[in-house]
Amino acid sequence: KEFSVDQIQIIRDMPLSKTPEITHLIQLMLDTGMRVSECCGLMVKDIKLEAETPYLEIYRNNVRELKTKNSRRLIPLVGSSLSAMQEAVERASGDFIFPRYVDESSGSIKENNASAACKKRLIALLGKDSPTSHGLRHTLQTRLRNVECPKELRNELSGWAKDISDRYGSPSDLKLKAKYLACLLYTSPSPRDAT
């Protein structure tokens, strides 16, 4: 189930909750399409805010596995994801961006806890029929298709394939990825909005 344009705007505008990590987590997924598990394992050092094109790096670390080898990637930060990470890095007091969802002693993340917290927050914002946080990932794909982002870039951003980097030996230029993600800040229709 995908999010509508109106729902996306509500998520963009939502105030910090009593638990800021939940707001940051949802807003990060909104404009990156990251999996909940990928978000939970983010470390402060993975967020590159000072780069010409701010981005984050996803890779396997001591608490987070990756779903596939293609899940290792760089994702530009724009819109809600950028502001969420700026605030989260500023608030961080340890190594992890979302420490409440990390269990360092067992070397794991609390993905189910994070998903449940996001679901509760989304229902509070959008009502009981709200799509889940996983719907943010699907919605991003639709939004990218609607701004004519090439399939190779969509796949690379989502960690499904590295067609471009397989051919050329390095990830696609961050500026190119950021260009398409930035388009989503101004136009983000989904099929639900056409009906």
Side-chain angles (χ1 to χ4, degrees), residues 10 33 54 62 64 69 81 115 117 123 126 131 139 144 146 155 159 172 182 194:
I10 290 168
N62 63 330
R64 178 189 58 208
K69 66 178 182 166
S81 65
S115 291
I123 288 171
L126 306 173
T139 303
L144 286 168
N146 289 344
N155 287 346
S172 300

Side-chain angles (χ1 to χ4, degrees), residues 2-83:
E2 294 191 1
F3 290 81
S4 70
V5 172
D6 290 342
Q7 290 172 326
I8 289 169
Q9 194 57 51
I10 290 168
I11 292 169
R12 281 195 198 293
D13 296 337
M14 76 173 157
L16 279 181
S17 63
K18 293 177 187 173
T19 309
E21 294 98 330
I22 297 168
T23 303
H24 294 149
L25 191 57
I26 292 169
Q27 290 181 331
L28 175 62
M29 289 186 286
L30 176 65
D31 287 330
T32 64
M34 291 171 64
R35 298 173 179 97
V36 173
S37 61
E38 293 170 337
C39 295
C40 290
L42 274 176
M43 301 182 81
V44 174
K45 68 180 182 177
D46 302 337
I47 313 300
K48 315 296 185 184
L49 296 174
E50 303 305 319
E52 181 180 349
T53 300
Y55 70 96
L56 59 78
E57 185 176 4
I58 300 175
Y59 56 91
R60 183 178 178 215
N61 64 27
N62 63 330
V63 298
R64 178 189 58 208
E65 298 289 326
L66 293 181
K67 189 167 183 178
T68 69
K69 66 178 182 166
N70 292 327
S71 295
R72 182 183 176 115
R73 62 199 188 277
L74 307 177
I75 302 177
L77 295 168
V78 301
S80 296
S81 65
L82 177 58
S83 57

